[in-house]
Amino acid sequence: MLLKKVNGMIILAISIFAVLITFSNPRIDPQKFFVSLSSSSSGEDCLVYSQSPSFVSLASVQDSFSFNSVRTGLDYDFYRSSCPDAEKIVGSTMAQIYSQHKDVSPALLRLFFHDCFVHGCDASILLDDSFGDKNYSAEKDAVPNRTLKSLDKIDHIKGELERVCPGVVSCADIISLATRDGIVLAGGPFYPVFTGRRDSIRSYHDEALAEIPKPDDDLTQILHLFALKGFNERETVSLLGGHNIGKMSCEFIHNRLYNFNGTGQPDPTLAPNFLNEMRLRCREDNGTLSRNGLFERMHSRGSGESASGRPSIEELSSSVPSGADFDTHYYQRLLMGRGLLFADQQLMAAKKTEGLVRAYASDDGSTFRIDFAGAMMKMSNLNVLTGTQGRVRLNCSLPLFSAK
Protein backbone atom coordinates (compact mmCIF):
# COMPACT_ATOMS: atom_id res chain seq x y z
CA MET A 1 0.00 0.00 0.00
CA LEU A 2 2.81 2.39 0.93
CA LEU A 3 4.57 1.64 -2.35
CA LYS A 4 1.40 2.44 -4.29
CA LYS A 5 1.07 5.75 -2.47
CA VAL A 6 4.71 6.60 -3.19
CA ASN A 7 4.26 5.70 -6.86
CA GLY A 8 1.14 7.82 -6.97
CA MET A 9 2.99 10.80 -5.55
CA ILE A 10 5.80 10.32 -8.08
CA ILE A 11 3.28 10.28 -10.92
CA LEU A 12 1.61 13.35 -9.47
CA ALA A 13 4.93 15.18 -9.19
CA ILE A 14 5.78 14.31 -12.80
CA SER A 15 2.37 15.55 -13.90
CA ILE A 16 2.74 18.84 -12.02
CA PHE A 17 6.13 19.30 -13.66
CA ALA A 18 4.50 18.57 -17.01
CA VAL A 19 1.82 21.18 -16.31
CA LEU A 20 4.47 23.79 -15.64
CA ILE A 21 6.29 22.92 -18.84
CA THR A 22 3.20 23.29 -21.00
CA PHE A 23 2.48 26.63 -19.33
CA SER A 24 5.99 27.91 -19.94
CA ASN A 25 6.03 26.73 -23.56
CA PRO A 26 2.57 26.58 -25.11
CA ARG A 27 4.09 25.62 -28.46
CA ILE A 28 5.16 22.14 -27.33
CA ASP A 29 3.67 19.56 -29.70
CA PRO A 30 0.47 18.62 -27.84
CA GLN A 31 0.12 15.14 -29.33
CA LYS A 32 3.73 14.19 -28.53
CA PHE A 33 3.31 15.53 -25.03
CA PHE A 34 -0.07 13.85 -24.63
CA VAL A 35 1.35 10.44 -25.55
CA SER A 36 4.19 10.88 -23.05
CA LEU A 37 1.71 11.60 -20.26
CA SER A 38 -0.40 8.58 -21.19
CA SER A 39 2.67 6.38 -21.09
CA SER A 40 3.80 7.70 -17.72
CA SER A 41 0.57 6.55 -16.06
CA SER A 42 1.36 2.98 -17.07
CA GLY A 43 4.86 3.07 -15.67
CA GLU A 44 6.82 3.69 -18.86
CA ASP A 45 9.33 6.47 -19.42
CA CYS A 46 7.95 9.94 -20.02
CA LEU A 47 9.52 12.67 -22.10
CA VAL A 48 11.39 15.42 -20.28
CA TYR A 49 11.74 18.92 -21.70
CA SER A 50 14.49 21.40 -20.90
CA GLN A 51 12.37 24.50 -20.26
CA SER A 52 12.26 25.73 -16.67
CA PRO A 53 8.89 26.59 -15.16
CA SER A 54 8.38 30.04 -13.76
CA PHE A 55 7.58 30.88 -10.16
CA VAL A 56 4.20 32.26 -11.20
CA SER A 57 3.31 28.94 -12.80
CA LEU A 58 4.29 27.02 -9.67
CA ALA A 59 2.17 29.24 -7.45
CA SER A 60 -0.81 28.84 -9.77
CA VAL A 61 -0.59 25.06 -9.80
CA GLN A 62 -0.31 24.97 -6.02
CA ASP A 63 -3.47 27.07 -5.79
CA SER A 64 -5.22 24.70 -8.17
CA PHE A 65 -4.68 21.81 -5.79
CA SER A 66 -6.93 23.45 -3.21
CA PHE A 67 -9.57 21.06 -4.56
CA ASN A 68 -7.58 17.96 -3.74
CA SER A 69 -8.38 14.37 -2.82
CA VAL A 70 -8.90 15.26 0.86
CA ARG A 71 -11.69 17.71 0.06
CA THR A 72 -13.38 15.91 -2.81
CA GLY A 73 -12.89 12.23 -2.06
CA LEU A 74 -11.08 11.83 -5.37
CA ASP A 75 -7.57 10.47 -5.81
CA TYR A 76 -4.83 10.86 -8.37
CA ASP A 77 -4.58 7.65 -10.46
CA PHE A 78 -7.59 6.22 -8.61
CA TYR A 79 -7.65 3.14 -10.86
CA ARG A 80 -4.02 2.20 -10.26
CA SER A 81 -5.07 -1.21 -8.87
CA SER A 82 -8.55 -1.84 -10.26
CA CYS A 83 -7.81 -0.79 -13.85
CA PRO A 84 -4.18 0.36 -14.15
CA ASP A 85 -4.42 1.12 -17.88
CA ALA A 86 -7.63 3.16 -17.57
CA GLU A 87 -6.14 6.57 -18.31
CA LYS A 88 -3.92 5.17 -21.03
CA ILE A 89 -6.97 3.62 -22.71
CA VAL A 90 -8.87 6.91 -22.52
CA GLY A 91 -5.85 8.77 -23.89
CA SER A 92 -5.08 6.41 -26.76
CA THR A 93 -8.75 6.19 -27.77
CA MET A 94 -9.04 9.98 -27.72
CA ALA A 95 -5.93 10.26 -29.90
CA GLN A 96 -7.53 7.90 -32.43
CA ILE A 97 -10.81 9.84 -32.40
CA TYR A 98 -9.03 13.18 -32.69
CA SER A 99 -7.03 12.00 -35.71
CA GLN A 100 -10.33 11.64 -37.58
CA HIS A 101 -12.51 14.24 -35.86
CA LYS A 102 -10.66 17.39 -34.80
CA ASP A 103 -13.99 18.84 -33.69
CA VAL A 104 -14.21 16.35 -30.83
CA SER A 105 -12.19 18.65 -28.55
CA PRO A 106 -14.61 21.62 -28.45
CA ALA A 107 -17.57 19.24 -28.45
CA LEU A 108 -16.32 17.42 -25.34
CA LEU A 109 -15.35 20.69 -23.67
CA ARG A 110 -18.93 21.88 -24.05
CA LEU A 111 -20.32 18.53 -22.88
CA PHE A 112 -18.08 18.71 -19.82
CA PHE A 113 -19.25 22.22 -18.94
CA HIS A 114 -22.91 21.33 -19.30
CA ASP A 115 -22.51 18.23 -17.15
CA CYS A 116 -20.51 19.84 -14.34
CA PHE A 117 -22.58 23.02 -14.25
CA VAL A 118 -25.70 21.09 -13.24
CA HIS A 119 -25.41 19.11 -9.98
CA GLY A 120 -21.70 18.60 -10.56
CA CYS A 121 -19.56 16.27 -12.67
CA ASP A 122 -21.69 13.14 -12.41
CA ALA A 123 -22.41 12.16 -16.05
CA SER A 124 -26.09 12.94 -15.51
CA ILE A 125 -26.01 14.73 -18.89
CA LEU A 126 -25.65 11.35 -20.63
CA LEU A 127 -28.79 9.71 -19.25
CA ASP A 128 -31.70 9.05 -21.57
CA ASP A 129 -34.07 9.07 -18.60
CA SER A 130 -34.09 8.92 -14.80
CA PHE A 131 -34.78 5.75 -12.83
CA GLY A 132 -36.02 4.21 -16.06
CA ASP A 133 -39.03 6.53 -16.05
CA LYS A 134 -39.67 7.54 -19.66
CA ASN A 135 -42.18 10.15 -18.47
CA TYR A 136 -39.43 12.08 -16.69
CA SER A 137 -37.72 14.69 -18.88
CA ALA A 138 -34.04 13.91 -19.23
CA GLU A 139 -31.34 16.52 -18.68
CA LYS A 140 -30.00 16.05 -22.18
CA ASP A 141 -33.42 17.10 -23.54
CA ALA A 142 -33.36 20.49 -21.83
CA VAL A 143 -33.11 23.30 -24.42
CA PRO A 144 -29.46 24.20 -23.66
CA ASN A 145 -28.42 20.57 -24.19
CA ARG A 146 -30.30 19.57 -27.32
CA THR A 147 -27.36 20.10 -29.65
CA LEU A 148 -24.65 18.56 -27.50
CA LYS A 149 -22.29 16.47 -29.61
CA SER A 150 -19.84 13.60 -29.16
CA LEU A 151 -21.92 11.71 -26.62
CA ASP A 152 -21.22 8.73 -28.86
CA LYS A 153 -17.49 9.30 -28.36
CA ILE A 154 -17.93 8.84 -24.60
CA ASP A 155 -19.86 5.64 -25.31
CA HIS A 156 -17.01 4.45 -27.53
CA ILE A 157 -14.38 5.09 -24.85
CA LYS A 158 -16.61 3.41 -22.27
CA GLY A 159 -16.83 0.33 -24.51
CA GLU A 160 -13.04 0.14 -24.75
CA LEU A 161 -12.74 0.29 -20.97
CA GLU A 162 -15.51 -2.25 -20.38
CA ARG A 163 -13.63 -4.80 -22.46
CA VAL A 164 -10.61 -4.51 -20.18
CA CYS A 165 -12.10 -3.58 -16.80
CA PRO A 166 -15.84 -4.37 -16.70
CA GLY A 167 -17.89 -2.18 -14.37
CA VAL A 168 -14.91 -0.28 -12.95
CA VAL A 169 -14.45 3.12 -14.62
CA SER A 170 -17.29 5.61 -14.26
CA CYS A 171 -18.78 7.61 -17.11
CA ALA A 172 -18.14 10.77 -15.06
CA ASP A 173 -14.41 10.04 -14.94
CA ILE A 174 -14.39 9.31 -18.65
CA ILE A 175 -15.91 12.72 -19.44
CA SER A 176 -13.36 14.53 -17.27
CA LEU A 177 -10.36 12.61 -18.60
CA ALA A 178 -11.45 12.69 -22.25
CA THR A 179 -12.11 16.42 -22.07
CA ARG A 180 -8.66 17.11 -20.61
CA ASP A 181 -7.01 14.91 -23.25
CA GLY A 182 -9.02 16.60 -26.00
CA ILE A 183 -7.84 20.00 -24.79
CA VAL A 184 -4.21 18.86 -24.89
CA LEU A 185 -4.64 17.39 -28.36
CA ALA A 186 -6.06 20.73 -29.51
CA GLY A 187 -2.96 22.51 -28.23
CA GLY A 188 -4.24 23.46 -24.79
CA PRO A 189 -2.55 22.94 -21.41
CA PHE A 190 -2.30 19.63 -19.61
CA TYR A 191 -3.64 19.56 -16.06
CA PRO A 192 -3.95 16.67 -13.57
CA VAL A 193 -7.39 15.12 -13.24
CA PHE A 194 -8.24 13.37 -9.98
CA THR A 195 -10.45 10.32 -10.45
CA GLY A 196 -12.86 8.18 -8.48
CA ARG A 197 -16.10 9.88 -9.51
CA ARG A 198 -19.32 7.92 -9.43
CA ASP A 199 -22.24 8.33 -11.80
CA SER A 200 -25.59 9.88 -10.99
CA ILE A 201 -28.67 7.66 -11.17
CA ARG A 202 -30.89 10.52 -12.32
CA SER A 203 -30.73 13.58 -14.53
CA TYR A 204 -31.74 17.18 -13.87
CA HIS A 205 -33.80 18.67 -16.67
CA ASP A 206 -35.26 21.69 -14.86
CA GLU A 207 -31.96 22.60 -13.24
CA ALA A 208 -30.28 22.60 -16.65
CA LEU A 209 -32.83 25.13 -17.88
CA ALA A 210 -32.21 27.42 -14.91
CA GLU A 211 -28.48 27.10 -14.27
CA ILE A 212 -26.71 26.99 -17.64
CA PRO A 213 -25.76 30.49 -18.85
CA LYS A 214 -27.39 31.79 -22.02
CA PRO A 215 -25.84 33.55 -25.02
CA ASP A 216 -27.74 36.78 -24.42
CA ASP A 217 -27.11 36.99 -20.67
CA ASP A 218 -25.57 40.23 -19.47
CA LEU A 219 -22.40 40.36 -17.42
CA THR A 220 -24.21 40.51 -14.07
CA GLN A 221 -26.10 37.30 -14.81
CA ILE A 222 -23.02 35.52 -16.18
CA LEU A 223 -20.95 36.33 -13.11
CA HIS A 224 -23.86 35.39 -10.85
CA LEU A 225 -24.31 31.94 -12.41
CA PHE A 226 -20.60 31.20 -12.26
CA ALA A 227 -20.39 32.50 -8.68
CA LEU A 228 -23.12 30.05 -7.68
CA LYS A 229 -20.69 27.30 -8.72
CA GLY A 230 -17.84 28.86 -6.74
CA PHE A 231 -15.99 30.66 -9.55
CA ASN A 232 -14.68 34.18 -9.11
CA GLU A 233 -14.41 36.76 -11.89
CA ARG A 234 -10.93 35.72 -12.98
CA GLU A 235 -11.90 32.05 -13.19
CA THR A 236 -15.05 32.94 -15.10
CA VAL A 237 -13.19 34.99 -17.70
CA SER A 238 -10.59 32.25 -18.13
CA LEU A 239 -13.22 29.52 -18.54
CA LEU A 240 -15.03 31.52 -21.21
CA GLY A 241 -11.73 31.46 -23.09
CA GLY A 242 -12.62 27.88 -23.98
CA HIS A 243 -14.64 29.53 -26.74
CA ASN A 244 -11.40 29.93 -28.67
CA ILE A 245 -11.92 26.57 -30.43
CA GLY A 246 -14.91 25.17 -32.27
CA LYS A 247 -17.67 26.86 -34.18
CA MET A 248 -21.01 28.43 -33.41
CA SER A 249 -24.30 27.81 -35.13
CA CYS A 250 -25.82 30.95 -36.63
CA GLU A 251 -28.95 30.32 -34.59
CA PHE A 252 -27.18 31.51 -31.48
CA ILE A 253 -26.30 34.94 -32.79
CA HIS A 254 -29.36 35.34 -35.00
CA ASN A 255 -31.28 37.55 -32.56
CA ARG A 256 -28.21 39.68 -31.99
CA LEU A 257 -27.95 40.32 -35.72
CA TYR A 258 -31.62 40.84 -36.54
CA ASN A 259 -33.85 41.11 -33.47
CA PHE A 260 -31.89 42.12 -30.39
CA ASN A 261 -34.09 41.97 -27.28
CA GLY A 262 -37.18 41.80 -29.47
CA THR A 263 -36.59 45.24 -31.03
CA GLY A 264 -36.47 44.03 -34.63
CA GLN A 265 -33.06 45.72 -34.85
CA PRO A 266 -29.47 44.47 -34.40
CA ASP A 267 -27.49 44.84 -31.19
CA PRO A 268 -26.59 48.57 -31.25
CA THR A 269 -23.16 47.85 -29.81
CA LEU A 270 -22.12 45.86 -32.92
CA ALA A 271 -19.71 47.74 -35.17
CA PRO A 272 -21.30 48.21 -38.63
CA ASN A 273 -18.51 46.36 -40.46
CA PHE A 274 -18.69 43.41 -38.05
CA LEU A 275 -22.49 43.34 -38.30
CA ASN A 276 -22.32 43.23 -42.10
CA GLU A 277 -19.68 40.49 -41.99
CA MET A 278 -21.78 38.32 -39.67
CA ARG A 279 -24.95 38.92 -41.69
CA LEU A 280 -23.16 37.63 -44.78
CA ARG A 281 -22.38 34.43 -42.90
CA CYS A 282 -25.73 34.16 -41.17
CA ARG A 283 -28.69 35.10 -43.35
CA GLU A 284 -31.88 36.42 -41.79
CA ASP A 285 -33.85 33.27 -42.68
CA ASN A 286 -31.09 31.01 -41.35
CA GLY A 287 -32.41 30.48 -37.87
CA THR A 288 -34.83 31.41 -35.16
CA LEU A 289 -33.56 29.64 -32.05
CA SER A 290 -32.48 31.75 -29.09
CA ARG A 291 -31.55 31.61 -25.41
CA ASN A 292 -29.79 28.28 -25.54
CA GLY A 293 -26.78 27.42 -23.42
CA LEU A 294 -23.86 29.82 -23.31
CA PHE A 295 -21.58 27.06 -24.52
CA GLU A 296 -23.92 26.24 -27.40
CA ARG A 297 -21.38 27.72 -29.76
CA MET A 298 -19.15 24.67 -29.34
CA HIS A 299 -21.52 22.39 -31.18
CA SER A 300 -18.96 20.79 -33.58
CA ARG A 301 -20.49 17.91 -35.49
CA GLY A 302 -18.25 15.80 -37.67
CA SER A 303 -19.08 14.64 -41.17
CA GLY A 304 -21.24 11.54 -41.08
CA GLU A 305 -21.17 11.48 -37.29
CA SER A 306 -24.09 9.89 -35.53
CA ALA A 307 -25.64 12.36 -33.14
CA SER A 308 -26.18 9.49 -30.69
CA GLY A 309 -29.67 10.50 -29.78
CA ARG A 310 -29.11 14.20 -30.32
CA PRO A 311 -31.07 16.10 -32.99
CA SER A 312 -29.60 16.06 -36.47
CA ILE A 313 -30.95 19.48 -37.40
CA GLU A 314 -30.24 21.14 -40.71
CA GLU A 315 -29.75 24.57 -39.19
CA LEU A 316 -26.42 23.51 -37.72
CA SER A 317 -24.98 23.57 -41.23
CA SER A 318 -24.79 27.37 -40.98
CA SER A 319 -22.06 28.29 -38.56
CA VAL A 320 -19.30 30.73 -37.76
CA PRO A 321 -15.86 29.39 -36.84
CA SER A 322 -14.49 30.53 -33.51
CA GLY A 323 -10.97 29.30 -34.12
CA ALA A 324 -8.81 26.24 -34.61
CA ASP A 325 -5.97 27.07 -32.22
CA PHE A 326 -5.98 27.08 -28.44
CA ASP A 327 -4.59 30.58 -28.05
CA THR A 328 -5.70 34.08 -27.04
CA HIS A 329 -7.53 35.16 -30.20
CA TYR A 330 -10.85 34.97 -28.30
CA TYR A 331 -9.71 37.81 -26.02
CA GLN A 332 -8.12 39.76 -28.86
CA ARG A 333 -11.45 39.69 -30.69
CA LEU A 334 -13.21 41.04 -27.62
CA LEU A 335 -10.79 43.98 -27.52
CA MET A 336 -11.80 44.76 -31.09
CA GLY A 337 -15.51 44.50 -30.28
CA ARG A 338 -15.82 41.32 -32.32
CA GLY A 339 -17.12 38.88 -29.72
CA LEU A 340 -19.57 36.54 -31.45
CA LEU A 341 -22.01 36.15 -28.57
CA PHE A 342 -23.49 39.06 -26.66
CA ALA A 343 -22.44 37.24 -23.48
CA ASP A 344 -18.85 37.05 -24.75
CA GLN A 345 -18.65 40.76 -25.54
CA GLN A 346 -20.13 41.55 -22.13
CA LEU A 347 -16.74 40.75 -20.61
CA MET A 348 -15.74 44.22 -21.79
CA ALA A 349 -18.66 45.85 -19.94
CA ALA A 350 -16.97 46.18 -16.55
CA LYS A 351 -13.53 47.46 -15.58
CA LYS A 352 -12.37 44.32 -13.78
CA THR A 353 -13.38 41.79 -16.42
CA GLU A 354 -12.09 44.11 -19.16
CA GLY A 355 -8.75 44.20 -17.36
CA LEU A 356 -8.64 40.41 -17.32
CA VAL A 357 -9.43 40.28 -21.02
CA ARG A 358 -6.57 42.69 -21.69
CA ALA A 359 -4.21 40.67 -19.52
CA TYR A 360 -5.01 37.43 -21.31
CA ALA A 361 -4.68 39.08 -24.73
CA SER A 362 -1.39 40.84 -24.00
CA ASP A 363 1.19 38.05 -23.60
CA ASP A 364 2.13 34.82 -25.38
CA GLY A 365 -0.84 32.97 -23.88
CA SER A 366 0.90 31.75 -20.74
CA THR A 367 -1.33 33.68 -18.32
CA PHE A 368 -4.51 32.39 -19.94
CA ARG A 369 -3.23 28.79 -20.09
CA ILE A 370 -2.27 28.83 -16.41
CA ASP A 371 -5.61 30.25 -15.29
CA PHE A 372 -7.66 28.08 -17.65
CA ALA A 373 -5.95 24.89 -16.45
CA GLY A 374 -6.53 25.80 -12.80
CA ALA A 375 -10.18 26.65 -13.41
CA MET A 376 -10.71 23.41 -15.33
CA MET A 377 -9.24 21.42 -12.46
CA LYS A 378 -11.66 23.17 -10.13
CA MET A 379 -14.57 22.59 -12.50
CA SER A 380 -13.78 18.87 -12.74
CA ASN A 381 -14.19 18.52 -8.97
CA LEU A 382 -17.57 20.24 -8.63
CA ASN A 383 -19.99 18.32 -6.41
CA VAL A 384 -18.61 14.93 -7.41
CA LEU A 385 -20.13 11.68 -6.18
CA THR A 386 -17.60 9.35 -4.54
CA GLY A 387 -17.43 6.27 -2.33
CA THR A 388 -20.90 4.83 -1.78
CA GLN A 389 -22.62 7.72 -3.57
CA GLY A 390 -24.00 7.13 -7.03
CA ARG A 391 -23.10 4.13 -9.17
CA VAL A 392 -20.69 3.08 -11.89
CA ARG A 393 -23.00 2.81 -14.88
CA LEU A 394 -22.32 -0.02 -17.32
CA ASN A 395 -24.07 1.91 -20.09
CA CYS A 396 -23.51 5.65 -19.90
CA SER A 397 -26.98 6.51 -21.19
CA LEU A 398 -28.96 4.16 -18.97
CA PRO A 399 -29.52 4.00 -15.19
CA LEU A 400 -28.73 0.70 -13.48
CA PHE A 401 -32.32 0.08 -12.44
CA SER A 402 -35.82 1.23 -13.19
CA ALA A 403 -38.24 3.09 -10.98
CA LYS A 404 -40.80 0.97 -9.18
Side-chain angles (χ1 to χ4, degrees):
M1 179 64 70
L2 179 60
L3 180 59
K4 291 177 182 177
K5 287 291 185 182
V6 171
N7 287 339
M9 291 304 295
I10 292 173
I11 293 171
L12 180 57
I14 292 172
S15 296
I16 294 174
F17 180 67
V19 173
L20 301 181
I21 290 172
T22 58
F23 290 154
S24 61
N25 187 353
R27 293 178 175 80
I28 287 175
D29 180 356
Q31 189 154 1
K32 181 180 180 184
F33 183 68
F34 168 79
V35 171
S36 75
L37 264 294
S38 296
S39 298
S40 70
S41 67
S42 63
E44 300 175 10
D45 292 338
C46 67
L47 300 177
V48 177
Y49 297 95
S50 60
Q51 288 85 354
S52 297
S54 68
F55 175 79
V56 174
S57 299
L58 178 60
S60 175
V61 172
Q62 288 173 335
D63 288 343
S64 298
F65 277 88
S66 62
F67 277 76
N68 55 30
S69 58
V70 175
R71 294 187 61 181
T72 65
L74 301 178
D75 192 10
Y76 194 78
D77 198 21
F78 175 83
Y79 299 105
R80 65 178 73 90
S81 298
S82 58
C83 189
D85 287 334
E87 295 194 33
K88 184 177 181 180
I89 292 170
V90 174
S92 61
T93 306
M94 271 299 298
Q96 293 169 4
I97 294 171
Y98 183 82
S99 68
Q100 300 177 8
H101 302 283
K102 297 296 190 292
D103 54 7
V104 70
S105 297
L108 287 182
L109 181 51
R110 179 174 169 250
L111 178 68
F112 169 80
F113 275 130
H114 281 229
D115 182 45
C116 294
F117 230 78
V118 178
H119 272 264
C121 306
D122 58 4
S124 58
I125 191 68
L126 302 177
L127 284 168
D128 287 333
D129 55 71
S130 283
F131 294 99
D133 184 357
K134 295 295 184 180
N135 295 319
Y136 185 92
S137 296
E139 187 176 328
K140 65 166 63 171
D141 293 327
V143 171
N145 297 329
R146 289 178 183 171
T147 54
L148 286 171
K149 303 300 172 188
S150 289
L151 284 74
D152 58 320
K153 303 302 189 292
I154 298 298
D155 289 337
H156 177 59
I157 297 170
K158 175 68 169 177
E160 295 296 311
L161 287 163
E162 287 297 306
R163 278 191 279 275
V164 178
C165 309
V168 174
V169 182
S170 69
C171 302
D173 274 344
I174 294 172
I175 293 175
S176 291
L177 290 168
T179 297
R180 187 273 312 278
D181 295 345
I183 289 169
V184 174
L185 286 165
F190 173 88
Y191 54 91
V193 172
F194 291 94
T195 44
R197 294 167 190 76
R198 307 269 283 180
D199 299 323
S200 174
I201 59 174
R202 61 156 295 183
S203 61
Y204 302 94
H205 176 275
D206 293 346
E207 291 86 342
L209 288 175
E211 298 175 14
I212 295 176
K214 300 172 178 63
D216 53 359
D217 280 343
D218 62 21
L219 182 60
T220 299
Q221 179 68 358
I222 294 167
L223 295 177
H224 170 68
L225 290 173
F226 275 85
L228 290 177
K229 306 302 175 184
F231 295 102
N232 60 31
E233 290 178 341
R234 187 181 187 102
E235 291 164 334
T236 299
V237 177
S238 69
L239 285 171
L240 291 180
H243 284 172
N244 64 4
I245 53 174
K247 56 185 178 179
M248 179 183 65
S249 171
C250 284
E251 281 66 36
F252 310 115
I253 60 170
H254 184 271
N255 283 355
R256 191 180 186 208
L257 300 179
Y258 298 100
N259 189 27
F260 185 67
N261 288 341
T263 62
Q265 300 296 320
D267 178 357
T269 67
L270 283 170
N273 61 342
F274 184 50
L275 172 62
N276 292 336
E277 179 183 331
M278 289 299 98
R279 282 184 165 182
L280 287 174
R281 290 178 175 270
C282 302
R283 310 303 298 182
E284 186 169 7
D285 58 355
N286 225 183
T288 56
L289 298 179
S290 64
R291 294 193 64 79
N292 284 311
L294 177 57
F295 299 103
E296 201 70 48
R297 68 194 312 249
M298 295 175 154
H299 68 263
S300 296
R301 182 168 181 259
S303 175
E305 176 188 357
S306 167
S308 186
R310 313 316 303 141
S312 177
I313 52 180
E314 293 180 359
E315 55 263 36
L316 288 183
S317 62
S318 298
S319 60
V320 180
S322 174
D325 298 322
F326 203 97
D327 56 25
T328 62
H329 68 267
Y330 168 79
Y331 301 105
Q332 293 164 4
R333 287 178 64 91
L334 295 183
L335 292 178
M336 296 184 291
R338 298 174 67 85
L340 292 176
L341 293 178
F342 176 76
D344 288 331
Q345 195 61 48
Q346 278 285 288
L347 294 182
M348 297 294 290
K351 186 175 181 179
K352 185 168 184 179
T353 52
E354 178 187 349
L356 290 166
V357 170
R358 293 188 181 281
Y360 290 146
S362 64
D363 65 10
D364 63 355
S366 298
T367 304
F368 163 57
R369 293 167 70 86
I370 292 168
D371 286 358
F372 181 80
M376 287 294 288
M377 288 177 63
K378 184 173 178 177
M379 175 79 77
S380 72
N381 291 301
L382 283 180
N383 299 326
V384 293
L385 302 174
T386 59
T388 59
Q389 301 171 315
R391 302 287 189 275
V392 174
R393 299 203 299 267
L394 304 181
N395 183 321
C396 288
S397 64
L398 299 174
L400 288 179
F401 52 86
S402 297
K404 300 281 179 112

